[in-house]
Amino acid sequence: TYSGSDSDPAASPDGKLVAFTSKRDGVSRIWIKQLVGGGEAPLTSGPDGRARFSPDGASLLFVRDLGATQGVYRTGLVGGEPRRLVDNATAADWSPDGSRIVFARSRADSADSSQLGILEVATGRETVVAELRNQLLFSPRWSPDGSTIAFASGRWSAEDWMIQTVELATGRIAPVPPGLPGVAIGGLAWSGDGKTLFYVQSTAIMG
């Protein structure tokens, strides 16, 4: 079923659950749906969005709106108080082994520039792996083999959106063909074999 207020779905590693964002009760929260039986219930208090399952399926990353900024949080599927992991971050994803988290961050000194960073979960150490000037960064996604991170970038009022990848071993950033750039690209997802990227693209400038 569809409430008309749901978005940003993410499937659990075992394929039994879907986490998604819903505003059906007036507040943006992370909800969990069981694919067998169809039961669904809110997991977080909100305002939250952009959930991502951990590789072991036991916890979720999500982004919480903190007013002037956003932060990346982690919570267990059984509930409990969420823990903030990354400040001033707008999206995040797990590494395949669950030891690291990639996140997108707008630069404090520029509303139109972004950083792609990696957090070491065990130590809390952050490393910047890419910086974009005059572009915003969306939907960072770690490849299944852990070697590459894909992300979308662009400006709300322009038709210069594209998908790019960064090789972690070399730091090399490259655009992904074909048929790009475009408008308002997001929702990236790797295929299981890491050879294909899926994405969502708008047909109109969102500015």
Side-chain angles (χ1 to χ4, degrees), residues 81-104:
E81 189 66 24
R83 181 165 65 96
R84 183 159 57 179
L85 300 180
V86 185
D87 292 321
N88 188 27
T90 58
D93 191 29
W94 298 89
S95 65
D97 64 2
S99 67
R100 295 177 290 173
I101 292 168
V102 60
F103 61 88

Side-chain angles (χ1 to χ4, degrees), residues 11-23:
S12 63
D14 63 7
K16 295 180 180 180
L17 302 172
V18 170
F20 60 96
T21 304
S22 182
K23 296 183 179 179

Side-chain angles (χ1 to χ4, degrees), residues 12 16 24 29 37 40 42 44 46 52 60 81 88 103 111 127 130-131 133 157 165 173 176-177 191:
S12 63
K16 295 180 180 180
R24 66 185 67 182
R29 309 177 197 272
E40 56 188 38
T44 67
R52 303 293 297 173
L60 284 171
E81 189 66 24
N88 188 27
F103 61 88
T127 304
E131 293 198 48
R133 298 286 184 179
S157 59
T165 59
I173 299 176
V176 176
S191 61

Side-chain angles (χ1 to χ4, degrees), residues 49-140:
R50 304 185 188 119
R52 303 293 297 173
F53 279 94
S54 60
D56 63 6
S59 62
L60 284 171
L61 291 179
F62 64 90
V63 176
R64 173 160 289 176
D65 187 347
L66 303 172
T69 64
Q70 295 176 303
V72 174
Y73 284 68
R74 179 181 186 176
T75 188
L77 291 187
V78 296
E81 189 66 24
R83 181 165 65 96
R84 183 159 57 179
L85 300 180
V86 185
D87 292 321
N88 188 27
T90 58
D93 191 29
W94 298 89
S95 65
D97 64 2
S99 67
R100 295 177 290 173
I101 292 168
V102 60
F103 61 88
R105 171 181 286 154
S106 296
R107 287 173 52 93
D109 59 350
S110 175
D112 292 327
S113 294
S114 302
Q115 294 177 333
L116 188 73
I118 291 177
L119 171 77
E120 300 287 341
V121 176
T123 65
R125 179 174 177 268
E126 294 183 9
T127 304
V128 175
V129 295
E131 293 198 48
L132 302 182
R133 298 286 184 179
N134 301 315
Q135 286 184 308
L136 298 177
L137 194 155
F138 304 88
S139 298

Side-chain angles (χ1 to χ4, degrees), residues 114-207:
S114 302
Q115 294 177 333
L116 188 73
I118 291 177
L119 171 77
E120 300 287 341
V121 176
T123 65
R125 179 174 177 268
E126 294 183 9
T127 304
V128 175
V129 295
E131 293 198 48
L132 302 182
R133 298 286 184 179
N134 301 315
Q135 286 184 308
L136 298 177
L137 194 155
F138 304 88
S139 298
R141 296 289 183 261
W142 219 303
S143 65
D145 66 3
S147 68
T148 306
I149 294 170
F151 58 91
S153 63
R155 294 173 293 171
W156 289 118
S157 59
E159 296 186 6
D160 60 355
W161 291 63
M162 65 178 66
I163 297 173
Q164 301 186 72
T165 59
V166 55
E167 295 178 352
L168 296 180
T170 64
R172 178 177 177 269
I173 299 176
V176 176
L180 300 174
V183 177
I185 294 169
L188 271 61
W190 290 89
S191 61
D193 60 10
K195 297 180 179 180
T196 303
L197 276 168
F198 301 92
Y199 65 97
V200 177
Q201 182 171 327
S202 175
T203 58
I205 294 176
M206 302 176 68

